[in-house]
Amino acid sequence: MADDAAEPAAGAAGVSVPDGPRPKRTREQAFTIALGAAAVYRTRVGHLEVPRAHVESMVAFGRWPVDVWSGVWITTTGNR
């Protein structure tokens, strides 16, 4: 995947945090990360009926651990 895309994490505790400040995300990058989290959930479970409190752990920008509130994101995106 590209550096600005997200990939599933082995677990937030198992991912080492790089040195330096966390890079700023654009809205487009944040959307791509959340969409990737939804895709990972759908692949694992088989549907997108995500519980509102579900959190998907991802690695963004190729190295930064990120927790994506997938249930909230899907609900909010669907309402918009």
Side-chain angles (χ1 to χ4, degrees), residues 2-65:
D3 285 343
D4 62 345
E7 53 196 52
V15 177
S16 63
V17 178
D19 294 332
R22 181 182 297 265
K24 300 260 184 201
R25 290 189 306 226
T26 63
R27 287 183 181 188
E28 210 170 74
Q29 290 169 327
F31 183 85
T32 301
I33 291 168
L35 187 62
V40 167
Y41 183 88
R42 184 172 190 267
T43 300
R44 185 177 63 245
V45 181
H47 58 79
L48 278 176
E49 296 173 14
V50 185
R52 186 159 171 80
H54 178 74
V55 178
E56 193 73 45
S57 295
M58 306 288 291
V59 175
F61 304 109
R63 60 180 202 231
W64 285 94

